[in-house]
């Protein structure tokens, strides 16, 4: 870890404010959710989930016993406003004084919407590697437009990571969800507000994913390797919650919101290209990623990894029309935001053309 710990004079000045989330981690920890609910002094929590996790949500409600105010299983990707309204109504009708979200980023996003609207404390039980549980960022989609914001009220008070809940992830979801996590780590490394703690977490997370993924692909039920991946996802989520994201997240947000693309596959296709674009202007991040991935060209290494895993590598395969690209490049380059390299319409369009066609990313060698 020589790079992120820096040499003499590195990290001479920074501000770091850890977010106050309690983390319970292990296998079989779902059984400890009632304990977390009691710790928060809650007596009637609404359990929210996606339709695919209604079985787990009902089991959890049973385990919660008298502390359960019912189950709402209507979570949808990107938290459509009518779904948020229905969940808030369910919480009101049940007299809920808290919320437990079990599932991927969609279920946790819905829990955050309820927390935002009613100020209810949230407990999150993530089942993917998306990382939303570690951030104070909420999102609600209305009339095809996703609004997002930061509000500490939506930050889960307690996160229960149960490795057992991740064993059911099929290989494709495992890989794309990990790319979503890797994107948080990678962009945190060149964020304007990166700190030594975040850089250490991000680099360790990338290395852990690279080490553990082959075992999980060989055996999706390998609890030890799944535990490594979930721990890495926690670190990636922490990095996301602690820093300002750049071009990659802006593009995924723009494409996801405008064209209703699947979240994790979009991250998977774009990450090698956004890194190839940015890393030459972010040498410290490039070195950290190169060291973690064991490659002089981290962008290419990630593109190769996606290929080896059979993950999507082209926007065309996700249903994007080539004629959409100029509009997307325009949208992603109009309002200014932090990025190591100046964001121009031409630069973004070139990157999107490569990603659309499924070409290897432009050379992203580590500078210097
Ligand atoms: P998701 O929650 O939509 O889940 C994708 C699919 O996988 C669903 O069908 C779900 O039922 C299924 N699934 C989830 N866990 C599973 C498991 N263990 N086994 C088998 N199937 C499982 O997808 P996601 O990628 O986790 O989350 C995407 C959403 O999260 C997006 O809306 C994104 O914007 C949001 N997000 C928000 C933040 C934030 O900080 N606010 C961070 C990351 C993602």
């Amino acid at each position: 870890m020589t790079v992120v710990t820096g040499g003499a004079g590195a990290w001479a000045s920074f501000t770091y404010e850890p977010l106050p989330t309690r983390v319970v981690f292990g296998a079989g920890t779902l059984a400890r959710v009632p304990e977390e609910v009691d710790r928060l002094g809650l007596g009637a929590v609404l359990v929210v989930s996606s339709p695919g996790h209604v079985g787990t949500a009902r089991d959890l409600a049973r385990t919660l016993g008298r502390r359960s105010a019912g189950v709402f299983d209507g979570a949808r990707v990107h938290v459509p406003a009518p779904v948020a309204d229905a969940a808030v109504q369910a919480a009101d009708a049940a007299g809920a004084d808290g919320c437990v979200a079990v599932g991927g980023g969609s279920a946790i996003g819905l829990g955050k919407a309820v927390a935002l609207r009613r100020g209810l404390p949230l407990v999150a039980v993530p089942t993917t590697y998306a990382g939303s549980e570690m951030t104070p960022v909420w999102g609600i989609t209305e009339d095809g437009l996703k609004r997002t914001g930061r509000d500490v009220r939506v930050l889960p008070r307690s996160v229960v990571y149960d490795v057992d809940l991740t064993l059911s992830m099929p290989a494709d979801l495992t890989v794309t969800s990990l790319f979503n996590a890797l994107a948080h780590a990678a962009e945190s490394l060149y964020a304007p507000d990166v700190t030594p703690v975040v850089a250490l977490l991000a680099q360790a997370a990338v290395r852990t994913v690279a080490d553990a993924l082959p075992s999980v692909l060989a055996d999706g039920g390998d609890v030890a390797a799944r535990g490594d991946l979930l721990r890495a996802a926690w670190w990636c989520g922490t990095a996301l919650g602690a820093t300002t994201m750049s071009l990659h997240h802006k593009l995924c947000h723009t494409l996801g919101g405008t064209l209703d693309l699947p979240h994790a596959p979009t991250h998977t296709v774009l990450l090698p290209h956004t890194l190839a674009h940015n890393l030459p202007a972010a040498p410290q991040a490039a070195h950290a990623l190169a060291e973690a991935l064991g490659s002089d060209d981290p962008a290419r290494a990630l593109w190769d990894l996606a290929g080896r895993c059979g993950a999507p590598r082209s926007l065309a395969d996700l249903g994007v029309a080539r004629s959409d690209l100029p509009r997307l490049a325009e949208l992603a380059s109009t309002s200014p935001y932090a990025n190591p390299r100046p964001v121009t319409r031409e630069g973004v369009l070139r990157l999107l053309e490569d990603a659309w066609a499924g070409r290897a990313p432009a050379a992203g060698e580590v500078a210097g």
Side-chain angles (χ1 to χ4, degrees), residues 47 62 69 84 109 128 160 211 217 239 247 261 281 296 315 346 358:
V47 179
R62 260 191 299 278
T128 67
V160 178
D211 287 349
L217 290 178
L247 176 65
L261 296 187
D296 282 348
L315 289 178
E346 296 67 37

Side-chain angles (χ1 to χ4, degrees), residues 239-257:
L240 173 69
T243 55
T244 306
M245 294 288 112
S246 298
L247 176 65
H248 173 80
H249 281 75
K250 172 79 175 177
L251 267 180
C252 288
H253 190 101
T254 305
L255 267 75

Side-chain angles (χ1 to χ4, degrees), residues 50 52-53 77-78 104-107 112 127-128 130-132 135 137-138 146 165-166 168-170 173 180 184 240 263-264:
S50 299
H53 268 99
V77 71
H78 302 312
S106 299
K112 285 177 164 182
T127 63
T128 67
S132 175
T135 83
V137 178
W138 56 266
K146 187 167 179 177
L165 294 179
T166 66
S168 55
M169 258 191 278
L173 177 61
N180 187 184
H184 309 329
L240 173 69
H263 183 75

Side-chain angles (χ1 to χ4, degrees), residues 170-222:
D172 57 346
L173 177 61
T174 298
V175 173
T176 56
S177 193
L178 282 173
F179 267 79
N180 187 184
L182 290 171
H184 309 329
E187 287 226 298
S188 75
L189 282 164
Y190 53 61
D193 39 8
V194 64
T195 55
V197 172
V198 167
L200 278 169
L201 286 179
Q203 196 188 24
V206 176
R207 179 176 295 173
T208 302
V209 169
D211 287 349
L213 183 57
S215 304
V216 167
L217 290 178
D219 173 9
D222 182 331

